[in-house]
Amino acid sequence: MACNVDDMGWSDARNLLRKWRDDNERKSDDVMQLWDNVLSSKQSKLGNERHLVLEQVIIAALDCNRIETAEHCVSILSAEFPGSLRIQKYRSMLLEALERYDDALDELEQIIRKDETNAAPRKRKVAILKTQGRTAEAIKELCDYMKVFMSDQEGWHELCNLYLAEGEYAKAAFCMEELLLHNPHSHLIHQRLADIRYTMGGIDNIEIAKTHYCKAVKLNVNNLRALYGLFLCCGHICNSKAVVAKRKEAQKLAQWAMGQIQSRTQQTTPEPKSVLKSGKSRPAGGDEELQALEQAFGGLEVGKKHIQAN
């Protein structure tokens, strides 16, 4: 923390915690320092912000493994709001921190039964199942969640990750396609969908991957991963049994992608000290990484020979 905690008054500490809440910053270590040194004995002076501060301290205490502090704050809030679903959620998080996962799941189930539109306990349930390694159950729970909250982009991202962990690439691709409907101009979503399609293999998937890599590069010309992916897809198409026109187009696109990769890597790679001292420029095509790349994917030249032969 930039300021000295010992020199701060309770109002300064309160204002600082308020700023972090407004800025959505956790700063768990700093929050615990302010609580221990300033605010724990000045709770009565916090007024209407007292409960917000207690909630903030609960999250910080769990982050810092200060279980006793978290239990103390939860007990204070539970006594004042005995039927609150919000406080019940904090109790489930406390149980989760204590690795009492079954008890935490029971608490979350109670919250869900009382309020089916509450998204937070459903997400916590998925997180606990994932922590326990119960991926299949986490997928089922998250699918049920997505049927209710279809516009949750974070949910689609997480479901995609779970499917990838299980090797369900077609279903993972479906999740990314859903994300494209929400955010069609994100080069990262296009890139990830292309990665999945490329991993699935087969000429049809390679063609789809090439299309999305092209879109990713169009949206962000500095996306090197998309340029590498585009180069690889074109190499596969050149060496496939596709029609001559498609292979010629892929050959030109691959050469363009390689040119873009070379121009960007040569601009960002610093010159070695020996070259700088001698005043000599680096020879063209001398970048070791690019040479390795061209050698590794030399099959592109094979595709070129096939095109010329036809």
Side-chain angles (χ1 to χ4, degrees):
M1 190 184 299
C3 51
N4 190 353
V5 176
D6 297 331
D7 297 335
M8 294 182 66
W10 69 270
S11 58
D12 297 327
R14 179 200 59 189
N15 294 337
L16 192 54
L17 289 182
R18 182 193 300 160
K19 180 180 182 301
W20 290 340
R21 287 198 306 273
D22 293 339
D23 295 341
N24 199 26
E25 295 182 81
R26 290 175 82 118
K27 293 186 177 291
S28 299
D29 291 330
D30 295 337
V31 170
M32 293 311 301
Q33 285 186 41
L34 291 175
W35 175 256
D36 292 334
N37 295 296
V38 183
L39 294 175
S40 60
S41 59
K42 302 287 193 304
Q43 293 184 43
S44 59
K45 294 185 178 182
L46 294 174
N48 295 331
E49 293 188 42
R50 175 169 166 268
H51 302 118
L52 294 175
V53 170
L54 286 172
E55 289 181 331
Q56 196 172 0
V57 172
I58 290 172
I59 300 298
L62 293 175
D63 287 344
C64 299
N65 199 28
R66 296 276 300 276
I67 304 300
E68 292 183 1
T69 303
E71 287 178 337
H72 174 66
C73 295
V74 168
S75 64
I76 293 174
L77 291 173
S78 298
E80 296 188 27
F81 306 98
S84 172
L85 298 181
R86 187 164 172 169
I87 307 307
Q88 196 170 357
K89 182 192 73 173
Y90 290 126
R91 281 202 299 269
S92 71
M93 293 172 65
L94 180 59
L95 292 169
E96 185 180 347
L98 294 170
E99 298 186 359
R100 293 167 55 184
Y101 297 122
D102 293 336
D103 294 335
L105 288 172
D106 291 339
E107 289 279 353
L108 293 172
E109 283 289 352
Q110 293 177 23
I111 299 173
I112 294 170
R113 282 197 296 268
K114 293 176 183 177
D115 184 7
E116 295 182 356
T117 62
N118 194 337
R122 292 174 180 266
K123 289 184 175 182
R124 293 302 323 161
K125 189 175 179 182
V126 173
I128 291 174
L129 293 172
K130 184 179 176 182
T131 300
Q132 291 181 293
R134 298 155 63 180
T135 309
E137 295 178 53
I139 289 174
K140 181 180 180 301
E141 187 66 32
L142 191 50
C143 285
D144 294 339
Y145 169 83
M146 296 310 303
K147 291 176 184 177
V148 181
F149 304 94
M150 295 182 183
S151 60
D152 189 340
Q153 296 187 43
E154 290 182 354
W156 286 116
H157 272 294
E158 184 60 33
L159 187 57
C160 177
N161 290 335
L162 292 174
Y163 277 134
L164 289 175
E166 292 292 295
E168 297 279 359
Y169 296 110
K171 294 179 180 178
F174 172 81
C175 295
M176 297 310 297
E177 288 166 355
E178 286 289 331
L179 278 168
L180 274 181
L181 296 177
H182 294 285
N183 195 356
H185 301 297
S186 171
H187 69 99
L188 294 175
I189 295 177
H190 281 284
Q191 172 201 300
R192 194 171 194 205
L193 177 55
D195 290 343
I196 294 170
R197 287 291 184 180
Y198 181 84
T199 304
M200 291 171 69
I203 189 61
D204 292 336
N205 286 315
I206 295 296
E207 287 278 3
I208 296 173
K210 179 175 77 72
T211 301
H212 286 289
Y213 279 132
C214 286
K215 186 66 176 177
V217 172
K218 183 179 179 181
L219 292 169
N220 182 6
V221 295
N222 295 316
N223 190 332
L224 273 177
R225 185 184 179 97
L227 286 169
Y228 279 120
L230 181 58
F231 179 80
L232 292 173
C233 289
C234 292
H236 278 281
I237 295 171
C238 285
N239 290 293
S240 69
K241 296 181 180 180
V243 296
V244 175
K246 275 192 176 181
R247 284 186 282 164
K248 284 184 177 179
E249 179 188 357
Q251 173 69 21
K252 292 179 181 178
L253 194 54
Q255 291 174 348
W256 176 84
M258 177 54 67
Q260 295 295 313
I261 292 169
Q262 288 177 329
S263 65
R264 280 158 179 75
T265 52
Q266 287 174 354
Q267 288 172 4
T268 57
T269 304
E271 293 286 343
K273 292 183 179 179
S274 59
V275 175
L276 292 174
K277 289 180 180 179
S278 62
K280 297 179 181 178
S281 61
R282 179 184 298 178
D287 190 286
E288 295 180 358
E289 293 182 358
L290 288 174
Q291 286 181 350
L293 180 67
E294 291 173 349
Q295 184 177 1
F297 304 118
L300 190 61
E301 296 299 323
V302 178
K304 185 176 180 180
K305 292 177 183 177
H306 286 319
I307 294 172
Q308 293 172 347
N310 291 329

